[in-house]
Amino acid sequence: MNISAIQKCINPDCGSEFDCGQAMFKCPDCGDLLDILYDWDKTTVPAKMSDFANRWATRNNPLDFSGVWRFRELLNFCEDKHRVTVGEGQTLLQQNDELAAFLGMDKGSLHLEYEGMNPSGSFKDNGMTAAFSHAVMVGAKSCACASTGNTSAAVALYAHACGMKCTVFIGSGRIAFGKLSQAMDYGANTIQIQGDFDDCMKQVQEVCTRLNIYLLNSLNPFRLEGQKTIMYRIIEGLGWEVPDWIIVPGGNLGNSSAFGKAFFELKELGLIDRIPRLAIINAAGADTLSYLVNERGLKWNGGNVNMKEVQALYADFTARHFSPHTIASAIEISRPVNLKKCLRSIDICDGIVRKVTDEQICDAKALVGRYGMGCEPASAATIAGLRDMLADGTIGKSERVACVLTGHLLKDPDKTVSYHKNSEGEFSNPPVESANDIEEIIKHIV
Amino acid sequence: MNISAIQKCINPDCGSEFDCGQAMFKCPDCGDLLDILYDWDKTTVPAKMSDFANRWATRNNPLDFSGVWRFRELLNFCEDKHRVTVGEGQTLLQQNDELAAFLGMDKGSLHLEYEGMNPSGSFKDNGMTAAFSHAVMVGAKSCACASTGNTSAAVALYAHACGMKCTVFIGSGRIAFGKLSQAMDYGANTIQIQGDFDDCMKQVQEVCTRLNIYLLNSLNPFRLEGQKTIMYRIIEGLGWEVPDWIIVPGGNLGNSSAFGKAFFELKELGLIDRIPRLAIINAAGADTLSYLVNERGLKWNGGNVNMKEVQALYADFTARHFSPHTIASAIEISRPVNLKKCLRSIDICDGIVRKVTDEQICDAKALVGRYGMGCEPASAATIAGLRDMLADGTIGKSERVACVLTGHLLKDPDKTVSYHKNSEGEFSNPPVESANDIEEIIKHIV
């Protein structure tokens, strides 16, 4: 399989093109986002999506076992010898008729894609397996990211898997050390900077430039290529059919950006005949996308995004010293780096944006536990958004919906315990106390 | 596929037989353990292990997707219509050459079987998918267990997956609520009894008998049938070859019991030509098996186990008010219920038993993080034991070893953080602090 990809600036006024053999995450000409563009040799792309099922039979080949690389014709930016895999993407698409019934949906309508089943416990592994393959391709020996959550865990895991040095930057102040347990355990060099997350982001970029370190923050377009495969696996799980709706939490907007690109490419290749609608769910305390799209009318507009609206909002954030705040920490982001690409996805998928409160998120998370396998808070924004969209008729009860659950239940067990011990939640399930007496115990058996 | 199994008492002086259509977990005649015995119709069992690979191609069938049920001819105690699956067993056998090199082993010698990738985050799902299938088969409507850890999580998950009511018993006193986050989230009715774990075990058995509730504690022989498949997947991951050694943590001894039975049956069926050796690793603070086997010479002895030795030890525990204590809470058990079956496995597999200290366990856990995907403390007893057995020559550096990592890293993140923040551990990886200054930051990049 020959490499058929280039990097191209998404700004239509620039449009600069570069080959993939460079570690470069912003357009050096205009500073805008870069995109991976393919010139597929159609003879090497399968004729239909279901042809990928042939790889199931050869799962003793690690690239066929991987839930990312078994679709490698559609991520054809490097040679097989550079592809890094740790067995990611053994995720579960669960048809959940019990939750569907609870929500008033028809049987067979609701599917949950549990990305927490990835090795590091979140969807990030999909992107990292791709970005680290690019890092190996360009000969990187050291990598870094700024993150206090799922990203650092995934980066640290893939770094040691391909023998790369790894540095993770965290801020001082109220740091949730539990979130860093994986980065430390996976051997990352963890540097705590006296400053906040924005300081870390600034410094990590400077450090990477000066020391020639490979940067794995959300700008990296190769991460998005890997995240496309979440959509391929949903189609695979539906017997190679396309759902009516994809629902995804919106934070830095990497997933929504990747999903739109995935469907655009599949349609272009003739591998699907229609594109599902995309619903992106913000937390109310971090609702930049929802505000810009729903209240300011921001659109992709062929790449000519009205950035003045965005800059005005961000200037207002700065003036007000605004920090986003939500229990769904994985989407607690007010300046999403992939905003423009996400607007493109909304354009491609006839997408919509909603926002939900923390209370809605916590109740929805409890529903995913009670009827599914559980998830971390940010993931549950999807179900909270679905409840709203069913209530107002945006989504019909017989439409086929796939919700992406981005992170493992055990990423944030404290929030689970505190929700259930507090009886005020809509679905709280507190323990009951009983004397060590068989007659009293039996009274508590429901 | 016709059902070919019966339940049989393992006591050779009793040997009572019962069909599988009953919920019965101790021999009603003598109170000893029950075993599942097959009379396989050899025409329905594949001729060779590698034939199971045919199921890879048909993973759109949930029973073929399941890492347990794709081997269903070898767990043939119920009809397909009763089999419950949530997609368990998508686990990873990782050839870990980096850890092998660190330990002085040859390339290709060391493999880690990460059972934390199961839906509830531990190997327990293998057993629960089988036991719940039996529960469905016998028409159970309600189930219960006493547990504060992985068992309760797995029971609660499978209970709601098959629409069964579920009650989990926990003791009062120093309860780790984090461990119960899953049981609460998965909707189990959690009853906290004023008493300790032994009180819970006693009460749950009484409650199950009086209210006709299906009991899912470790006595349940159907759980062990599911756990056999961990061995099938190791063989599958090794290209259908048998390793030289299996290393497993020893707690209630369900896994070691199941693994010996798995290999005995495979040999009997002609599906393997040799049986690997089994090493069972106790924590030093919960070393009943190690003491009885290594210091008292306890043996299977054709089923005539010298139970006087066991009773004397347990009487001494009672007299001394002895409670086991280890950081590896999942194996913090002093009266292992599957002791006799485990002795049979040692007999079948020419097995050995070792014990390791908490310090060894913590250091070994850090190695699994640094070179692998991490694990919970009990899982790391395997690597700690392996280090000892390599050092004294019991295991040679070119022997092929598979270590079973029983639980997910995120089951116990606090222990991970405290190990790494304390610089005294052999492999501690504490964060470094830096001023928000590029020159100082660069000094910390290693």
Side-chain angles (χ1 to χ4, degrees):
Chain A
M1 214 180 347
N2 293 321
I3 295 173
S4 66
I6 58 163
Q7 300 187 72
K8 185 178 167 74
C9 177
I10 67 164
N11 178 355
D13 296 333
C14 172
S16 294
E17 297 185 354
F18 312 92
D19 71 42
C20 289
Q22 301 170 58
M24 199 174 50
F25 307 111
K26 278 182 180 174
C27 175
D29 296 330
C30 77
D32 212 334
L33 296 171
L34 291 171
D35 205 25
I36 310 302
L37 203 71
Y38 296 93
D39 178 26
W40 281 294
D41 175 357
K42 292 214 178 186
T43 59
T44 63
V45 174
K48 53 187 193 304
M49 277 302 274
S50 58
D51 289 346
F52 286 111
N54 296 334
R55 294 236 165 88
W56 296 346
T58 50
R59 55 179 274 169
N60 47 343
N61 172 355
L63 291 183
D64 291 350
F65 181 71
S66 167
V68 172
W69 297 114
R70 72 170 167 262
F71 301 101
R72 57 193 171 273
E73 285 84 353
L74 303 174
L75 300 78
N76 187 21
F77 62 80
C78 68
E79 297 174 53
D80 279 0
K81 67 179 180 186
H82 293 133
R83 299 190 210 269
V84 176
T85 178
V86 301
E88 60 286 322
Q90 312 308 316
T91 56
L92 295 171
L93 184 72
Q94 179 193 35
Q95 177 178 320
N96 197 317
D97 292 338
E98 295 74 26
L99 182 51
F102 179 86
L103 299 175
M105 297 177 75
D106 289 348
K107 188 175 175 179
S109 294
L110 180 59
H111 294 76
L112 307 181
E113 173 72 8
Y114 188 30
E115 290 292 320
M117 296 299 289
N118 273 295
S120 85
S122 86
F123 78 95
K124 301 279 184 185
D125 293 359
N126 292 288
M128 293 306 167
T129 193
F132 272 89
S133 298
H134 181 250
V136 168
M137 174 185 172
V138 301
K141 304 286 181 230
S142 185
C143 66
C145 70
S147 156
T148 60
N150 294 331
T151 300
S152 62
V155 167
L157 175 61
Y158 281 87
H160 82 60
C162 54
M164 222 173 271
K165 287 180 184 172
C166 174
T167 306
V168 171
F169 290 81
I170 61 173
S172 54
R174 51 174 191 95
I175 294 297
F177 261 91
K179 284 206 158 192
L180 280 164
S181 69
Q182 291 177 283
M184 290 195 287
D185 207 43
Y186 296 153
N189 177 25
T190 307
I191 299 181
Q192 185 170 18
I193 293 174
Q194 285 159 17
D196 63 13
F197 181 75
D198 287 337
D199 294 318
C200 290
M201 268 310 301
K202 186 164 161 285
Q203 297 289 13
V204 72
Q205 293 187 56
E206 173 76 9
V207 165
C208 286
T209 303
R210 282 179 53 170
L211 301 184
N212 194 26
I213 291 174
Y214 190 90
L215 184 65
L216 281 152
N217 72 354
S218 299
L219 287 173
N220 188 317
F222 296 96
R223 278 180 51 184
L224 272 52
E225 293 305 296
Q227 287 164 227
K228 292 190 306 190
T229 65
I230 301 170
M231 295 300 101
Y232 308 154
R233 293 198 299 275
I234 286 176
I235 293 172
E236 177 184 52
L238 294 174
W240 307 106
E241 288 179 12
V242 177
D244 298 309
W245 285 91
I246 299 287
I247 310 183
V248 62
N252 240 335
L253 306 178
N255 266 338
S256 45
S257 297
F259 299 169
K261 186 170 191 285
F263 290 118
F264 178 82
E265 291 172 348
L266 292 179
K267 185 92 186 324
E268 199 181 43
L269 284 165
L271 292 172
I272 59 175
D273 55 11
R274 65 183 178 84
I275 289 176
R277 294 193 69 185
L278 181 67
I280 304 163
I281 317 298
N282 269 172
D287 66 345
T288 297
L289 182 70
S290 170
Y291 172 78
L292 289 170
V293 169
N294 296 327
E295 296 183 38
R296 307 301 303 172
L298 199 69
K299 285 189 165 53
W300 169 242
N301 193 27
N304 296 301
V305 176
N306 182 359
M307 291 305 287
K308 284 182 185 163
E309 284 285 358
V310 183
Q311 285 147 8
L313 179 65
Y314 291 0
D316 179 57
F317 286 164
T318 304
R320 289 192 288 128
H321 302 288
F322 172 77
S323 284
H325 192 73
T326 167
I327 197 166
S329 57
I331 55 173
E332 193 181 55
I333 292 166
S334 60
R335 292 172 172 84
V337 300
N338 285 301
L339 176 64
K340 282 179 81 170
K341 288 185 180 176
C342 174
L343 292 169
R344 183 175 62 179
S345 285
I346 292 170
D347 190 66
I348 291 167
C349 301
D350 189 14
I352 60 176
V353 185
R354 293 298 179 97
K355 61 180 175 182
V356 292
T357 66
D358 279 9
E359 189 182 346
Q360 288 180 286
I361 289 172
C362 289
D363 290 336
K365 175 178 164 337
L367 284 174
V368 177
R370 179 167 294 192
Y371 295 105
M373 295 172 186
C375 62
E376 69 166 337
S379 310
T382 56
I383 301 297
L386 173 60
R387 292 180 88 181
D388 278 355
M389 292 182 285
L390 287 164
D392 68 15
T394 304
I395 295 183
K397 69 187 178 71
S398 62
E399 291 194 86
R400 192 141 72 157
V401 175
C403 295
V404 181
L405 304 179
T406 45
H408 202 286
L409 170 61
L410 291 170
K411 284 274 188 175
D412 210 343
D414 292 349
K415 297 212 176 71
T416 304
V417 171
S418 63
Y419 178 86
H420 286 297
K421 284 182 76 178
N422 179 341
S423 308
E424 289 172 18
E426 189 179 356
F427 308 105
S428 291
N429 182 25
V432 296
E433 293 186 13
S434 170
N436 183 17
D437 173 81
I438 188 74
E439 303 303 333
E440 186 181 332
I441 289 168
I442 283 175
K443 287 182 197 150
H444 295 296
I445 309 279
V446 287
Chain B
M1 215 178 350
N2 293 321
I3 295 173
S4 66
I6 57 164
Q7 301 187 73
K8 184 179 167 73
C9 176
I10 66 164
N11 177 356
D13 295 331
C14 172
S16 292
E17 297 185 354
F18 312 92
D19 70 43
C20 288
Q22 302 170 57
M24 199 176 50
F25 307 111
K26 278 183 181 175
C27 175
D29 296 330
C30 76
D32 212 333
L33 297 171
L34 292 171
D35 205 26
I36 311 301
L37 202 72
Y38 296 93
D39 177 26
W40 279 296
D41 174 357
K42 292 213 179 186
T43 59
T44 64
V45 175
K48 53 188 193 302
M49 277 303 273
S50 58
D51 289 347
F52 285 109
N54 295 334
R55 294 236 165 88
W56 295 347
T58 50
R59 55 179 275 173
N60 46 344
N61 171 355
L63 292 183
D64 291 351
F65 181 70
S66 166
V68 172
W69 297 114
R70 71 170 167 262
F71 301 102
R72 55 193 173 274
E73 285 84 354
L74 304 174
L75 299 77
N76 186 21
F77 62 79
C78 67
E79 295 174 57
D80 279 1
K81 68 179 180 187
H82 293 132
R83 299 190 211 270
V84 175
T85 179
V86 300
E88 60 287 322
Q90 313 308 316
T91 57
L92 295 171
L93 184 72
Q94 179 192 36
Q95 177 177 320
N96 197 315
D97 291 339
E98 296 73 26
L99 182 51
F102 179 86
L103 298 175
M105 296 176 75
D106 290 348
K107 188 175 175 180
S109 295
L110 180 60
H111 294 76
L112 307 182
E113 173 73 8
Y114 189 28
E115 290 292 320
M117 296 299 290
N118 274 294
S120 85
S122 87
F123 79 95
K124 301 279 184 185
D125 294 358
N126 293 287
M128 293 306 167
T129 191
F132 272 89
S133 297
H134 181 251
V136 169
M137 174 184 171
V138 302
K141 303 285 180 230
S142 184
C143 65
C145 71
S147 156
T148 59
N150 294 330
T151 300
S152 62
V155 167
L157 175 61
Y158 280 87
H160 82 58
C162 55
M164 222 173 270
K165 288 181 182 169
C166 174
T167 306
V168 170
F169 289 80
I170 61 172
S172 55
R174 52 175 190 94
I175 294 297
F177 261 90
K179 285 206 156 192
L180 280 163
S181 69
Q182 291 176 284
M184 289 195 289
D185 208 43
Y186 295 153
N189 176 25
T190 307
I191 299 182
Q192 186 171 18
I193 293 175
Q194 284 159 18
D196 63 13
F197 181 75
D198 287 337
D199 294 319
C200 291
M201 268 310 302
K202 185 165 162 287
Q203 297 289 14
V204 72
Q205 294 187 56
E206 173 76 10
V207 165
C208 286
T209 303
R210 281 178 54 171
L211 301 185
N212 194 27
I213 291 175
Y214 190 89
L215 184 66
L216 282 151
N217 72 353
S218 300
L219 286 173
N220 188 318
F222 296 96
R223 279 180 52 183
L224 272 53
E225 292 306 296
Q227 287 165 226
K228 292 191 306 189
T229 65
I230 302 171
M231 295 301 101
Y232 308 155
R233 293 199 299 274
I234 286 177
I235 292 172
E236 178 184 54
L238 294 174
W240 306 106
E241 289 179 11
V242 177
D244 298 310
W245 286 91
I246 299 289
I247 310 183
V248 62
N252 240 336
L253 305 178
N255 267 338
S256 45
S257 297
F259 299 168
K261 186 170 191 287
F263 290 119
F264 178 81
E265 291 171 349
L266 293 179
K267 186 88 183 335
E268 198 181 42
L269 285 164
L271 292 171
I272 60 174
D273 55 12
R274 65 183 178 84
I275 289 175
R277 293 192 69 186
L278 181 66
I280 304 162
I281 317 298
N282 269 171
D287 66 344
T288 297
L289 182 70
S290 171
Y291 171 78
L292 288 171
V293 168
N294 295 327
E295 296 183 39
R296 306 304 301 174
L298 199 69
K299 284 190 165 55
W300 168 242
N301 193 28
N304 296 299
V305 176
N306 182 359
M307 291 304 287
K308 284 183 185 163
E309 283 286 356
V310 183
Q311 285 147 9
L313 179 65
Y314 290 1
D316 179 58
F317 285 165
T318 303
R320 289 192 288 128
H321 300 289
F322 171 78
S323 284
H325 192 72
T326 168
I327 196 166
S329 57
I331 55 173
E332 192 181 55
I333 292 166
S334 60
R335 292 173 172 84
V337 300
N338 286 301
L339 176 63
K340 283 178 82 170
K341 288 184 179 176
C342 174
L343 293 169
R344 183 175 64 180
S345 284
I346 291 171
D347 190 66
I348 292 166
C349 300
D350 189 14
I352 60 175
V353 184
R354 292 298 180 95
K355 61 180 175 182
V356 293
T357 66
D358 278 8
E359 189 182 346
Q360 287 180 287
I361 288 171
C362 289
D363 290 336
K365 176 179 165 335
L367 284 174
V368 176
R370 180 167 293 192
Y371 295 105
M373 296 173 186
C375 61
E376 69 166 335
S379 309
T382 57
I383 301 298
L386 173 60
R387 291 179 89 181
D388 279 355
M389 291 183 285
L390 287 164
D392 69 16
T394 304
I395 296 182
K397 70 188 177 68
S398 62
E399 291 193 86
R400 191 139 74 155
V401 175
C403 295
V404 180
L405 304 180
T406 44
H408 202 288
L409 170 61
L410 291 170
K411 283 274 188 176
D412 210 344
D414 292 349
K415 295 211 176 72
T416 304
V417 172
S418 62
Y419 178 87
H420 285 298
K421 285 183 76 177
N422 178 342
S423 308
E424 288 172 19
E426 190 179 355
F427 308 104
S428 291
N429 182 25
V432 296
E433 293 185 13
S434 170
N436 184 16
D437 173 79
I438 188 76
E439 303 303 334
E440 186 181 331
I441 289 168
I442 283 176
K443 288 183 196 149
H444 295 295
I445 310 276
V446 288

